[in-house]
């Protein structure tokens, strides 16, 4: 059985290449507000779609908690910090709009200059793979998926409803973090557990970081001059949360996160793949329940768990340099897991044309990128040390005679959301 949403997934072709087309014609492109809501936080960016520049960005913290603060950063102007109670997301959005229109620190005269709002929404279950203009049905799906995304979906819905309340009539677009993974074929998304759980509860692999994988795989195809229909690309999104995807022509064929973001790579604090029997064993030995165990797998494992030092690669690398053997073991295990997935995805696609590194570690950690690539000699990967000696800049880091193009492509989830929002509301 193939879920309804899968059949309609068009993946990359709808979302890449639109930036030039959208500038044609008489339509005056204005600014898109991108919102990413957490349970007590709200990140935003206002993007001018004429040149895709960030006009302002900011962050509301401690929403619903004492000590709420909004930090507003207009491009080219001083930071503006407002400490004011924010009992809920609606008040927070109101303050963001005030900051955007502030005579001194603002960047727009009125909200008329904001053409639409794009929201990062975590989970759409099997209902949607494509981004969509929000209506009552869409909000119902976000609500129905609270079980699947208990930390994020409620906050995402609060963000949408806050925008509806504060800017009535303005279109809101939901861009799903699970969207990219929805084009995975059945053989990649099914867990080998009784099928009834898939039927009853939609237990399957979904994948996360979808906006980032969509953006980076699309940019890798454009930047690397690859065939937009057939290019086989592996994206390594290596941050505190880490995931890896395989896509053909920008359409995801496999990705490492599963029902939740816990599956796959070793991460900052998440274990990634593990024998489920480990959970039972530890629960019995330590007298803890499955909820506590899951908390350990999410928050106390990964490179933090192995090293005992930190979840931050900079700290672990410093500890390794000082001779800490567990720090060495954590980094070795992290790299080894990435390399195993690259091998598996190359096999799944029967080849690979490009490998792209992105996110905090992928964009900044020169040594880790090199260590991963050194495993890949069997694929004809050759890293150019000079080209690789770079942080946070789009660049081909393999040598001219490398059989696979290796690239550093900084991710930009906000821009990906803004492009989707513009595409659906222009
Ligand atoms: P997330 O969005 O999942 O929280 P990021 O993509 O922002 O994570 O990545 C954050 C991580 O990037 C940090 O925890 C750190 O491990 C890593 N990182 C950032 N800069 C560097 C650097 N210069 N060298 C090594 N690792 C880095």
């Amino acid at each position: 059985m193939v879920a309804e949403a899968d059949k309609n997934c068009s993946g990359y072709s709808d979302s890449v290449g639109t930036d030039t087309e959208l500038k044609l014609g008489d339509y005056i492109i204005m600014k898109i507000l991108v919102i990413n809501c957490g349970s007590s936080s709200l990140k935003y960016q206002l993007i001018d779609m004429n040149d895709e520049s960030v006009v302002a960005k900011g962050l509301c913290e401690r929403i619903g908690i004492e000590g709420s603060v909004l930090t507003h950063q207009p491009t080219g102007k001083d930071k503006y910090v407002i400490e004011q109670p924010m009992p809920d997301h609606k008040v927070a959005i109101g303050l963001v709009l005030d900051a955007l229109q502030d005579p001194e620190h603002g960047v727009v005269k009125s909200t008329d200059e904001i053409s639409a709002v794009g929201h990062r929404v975590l989970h759409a279950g099997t209902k949607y793979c494509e981004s969509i203009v929000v209506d009552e049905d869409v909000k119902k799906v976000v609500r129905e998926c609270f079980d699947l995304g208990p930390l994020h979906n409620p906050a995402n819905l609060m963000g949408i409803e806050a925008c509806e309340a504060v800017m009535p009539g303005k279109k809101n677009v939901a861009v799903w973090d699970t969207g990219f993974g929805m084009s995975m074929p059945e053989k990649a998304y099914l867990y080998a557990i009784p099928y009834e759980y898939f039927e009853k509860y939609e237990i399957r692999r979904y994948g996360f970081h979808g906006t980032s994988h969509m953006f980076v795989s699309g940019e890798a195809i454009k930047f690397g001059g690859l065939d937009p229909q057939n290019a086989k690309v592996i994206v390594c999104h290596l941050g505190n949360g880490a995931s890896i995807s395989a896509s053909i022509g920008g359409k995801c064929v496999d990705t490492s996160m599963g029902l939740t973001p816990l599956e796959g790579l070793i991460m900052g604090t998440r274990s990634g793949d593990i024998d489920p029997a480990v959970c039972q064993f530890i629960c019995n030995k330590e007298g803890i329940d499955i909820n506590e165990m899951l908390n350990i797998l999410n928050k106390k494992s990964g490179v933090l768990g192995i090293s005992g030092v930190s979840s931050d690669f900079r700290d672990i690398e410093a500890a390794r340099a000082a001779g800490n053997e567990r720090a060495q073991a954590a980094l070795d295990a992290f790299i080894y897991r990435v390399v195993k997935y690259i091998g598996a995805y190359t096999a799944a696609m029967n080849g690979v044309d490009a490998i792209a590194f992105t996110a905090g570690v992928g964009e900044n950690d020169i040594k880790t990128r090199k260590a991963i690539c050194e495993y890949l000699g069997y694929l004809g990967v050759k890293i150019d040390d000079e080209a690789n000696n770079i942080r946070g800049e789009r660049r081909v880091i393999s040598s001219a005679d490398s059989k696979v193009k290796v690239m550093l492509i900084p991710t930009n989830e906000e821009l990906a959301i803004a492009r989707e929002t513009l595409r659906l509301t222009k």
Side-chain angles (χ1 to χ4, degrees):
M1 189 186 110
V2 177
E4 197 50 40
D6 297 24
K7 296 180 202 152
N8 305 323
C9 262
S10 61
Y12 157 81
S13 53
D14 269 355
S15 355
V16 178
T18 50
D19 46 348
T20 44
E21 290 152 27
L22 294 173
K23 286 170 193 159
L24 300 174
D26 309 330
Y27 180 74
I28 302 162
I29 296 168
M30 292 195 291
K31 299 176 182 83
I32 301 277
L33 181 61
V34 176
I35 303 270
N36 183 356
C37 274
S39 53
S40 66
S41 70
L42 185 159
K43 280 190 228 158
Y44 64 93
Q45 275 194 14
L46 187 66
I47 300 179
D48 184 338
M49 295 310 285
N50 287 298
D51 57 2
E52 298 190 331
S53 62
V54 177
V55 182
K57 62 182 175 182
L59 169 68
C60 301
E61 292 169 284
R62 302 181 65 85
I63 299 170
I65 311 172
E66 207 180 320
S68 313
V69 57
L70 161 58
T71 310
H72 175 71
Q73 177 66 72
T75 304
K77 293 187 193 172
D78 288 341
K79 206 174 257 182
Y80 175 43
V81 179
I82 305 151
E83 289 175 28
Q84 209 166 301
M86 293 179 219
D88 56 35
H89 287 72
K90 191 172 151 193
V91 174
I93 290 275
L95 288 176
V96 169
L97 293 182
D98 288 348
L100 288 169
Q101 298 171 86
D102 186 85
E104 200 180 329
H105 308 278
V107 288
V108 293
K109 288 204 176 70
S110 85
T111 55
D112 291 347
E113 288 180 49
I114 301 172
S115 49
V117 187
H119 297 260
R120 178 177 190 242
V121 185
L122 185 79
H123 225 301
T126 56
K127 302 299 183 306
Y128 298 116
C129 54
E130 293 280 339
S131 311
I132 190 165
V133 176
V134 174
D135 60 14
E136 289 307 314
D137 289 342
V138 174
K139 284 196 281 178
K140 189 161 162 269
V141 168
V142 178
R143 215 173 281 116
E144 282 166 4
C145 292
F146 278 6
D147 268 2
L148 290 168
L151 297 180
H152 295 86
N153 269 40
N156 300 151
L157 186 62
M158 278 195 275
I160 289 170
E161 289 180 334
C163 287
E164 286 176 338
V166 177
M167 291 179 280
K170 199 80 74 190
K171 278 188 181 153
N172 291 282
V173 170
V175 180
W176 314 101
D177 212 38
T178 50
F180 186 70
M182 291 308 292
S183 59
M184 268 191 280
E186 193 180 47
K187 63 187 173 190
Y189 72 64
L190 277 184
Y191 285 118
I193 57 175
Y195 196 75
E196 65 187 272
Y197 299 127
F198 171 62
E199 291 179 309
K200 270 203 281 191
Y201 308 121
E202 298 187 331
I203 305 278
R204 50 161 280 176
R205 308 186 57 257
Y206 288 93
F208 296 86
H209 292 147
T211 320
S212 176
H213 286 286
M214 175 183 76
F215 179 81
V216 175
S217 58
E219 293 295 300
I221 288 172
K222 282 198 276 184
F223 185 61
L226 306 175
D227 176 354
Q229 302 306 322
N230 302 303
K232 296 170 178 172
V233 177
I234 294 177
V235 172
C236 305
H237 178 112
L238 310 179
N240 191 32
S243 61
I244 181 161
S245 70
S247 59
I248 300 181
K251 193 168 169 178
C252 177
V253 293
D254 209 340
T255 187
S256 60
M257 285 175 165
L259 175 73
T260 76
L262 193 48
E263 191 179 339
L265 299 180
I266 295 173
M267 310 183 206
T269 62
R270 295 191 193 115
S271 64
D273 297 336
I274 193 173
D275 178 348
V278 167
C279 300
Q280 185 192 35
F281 195 93
I282 294 176
C283 284
N284 289 342
K285 290 280 183 196
E286 299 275 322
I288 58 175
D289 67 9
I290 191 67
N291 295 316
E292 209 171 325
M293 188 66 232
L294 261 290
N295 194 42
I296 291 169
L297 294 181
N298 271 304
K299 304 216 171 114
K300 298 180 182 169
S301 300
V303 288
L304 168 68
I306 299 179
S307 69
V309 172
S310 167
S311 60
D312 192 303
F313 277 64
R314 290 162 287 198
D315 300 338
I316 303 171
E317 279 162 12
R320 170 178 63 183
N324 184 320
E325 287 178 7
R326 275 173 56 189
Q328 178 75 58
L331 293 167
D332 288 347
F334 174 85
I335 289 163
Y336 181 68
R337 182 77 56 90
V338 173
V339 166
K340 281 212 294 189
Y341 266 93
I342 292 175
Y345 286 173
T346 304
M349 295 193 289
N350 190 24
V352 57
D353 297 312
I355 298 170
F357 288 99
T358 197
V361 177
E363 291 171 28
N364 295 299
D365 194 334
I366 295 161
K367 282 189 188 149
T368 296
R369 282 198 305 260
K370 182 173 163 68
I372 291 169
C373 290
E374 278 176 347
Y375 270 95
L376 306 176
Y378 73 100
L379 289 175
V381 167
K382 285 191 196 159
I383 190 110
D384 176 336
D385 284 335
E386 209 174 302
N388 185 41
N389 193 18
I390 189 89
R391 293 197 165 96
E393 199 179 291
R394 183 184 294 216
R395 183 182 273 192
V396 173
I397 58 169
S398 49
S399 55
D401 60 343
S402 178
K403 287 205 180 110
V404 179
K405 257 190 187 147
V406 184
M407 294 179 234
L408 192 173
I409 308 268
T411 193
N412 192 337
E413 293 171 79
E414 289 79 12
L415 179 56
I417 292 169
R419 284 181 183 171
E420 286 290 87
T421 305
L422 182 60
R423 178 173 72 81
L424 289 165
T425 57
K426 65 175 173 157

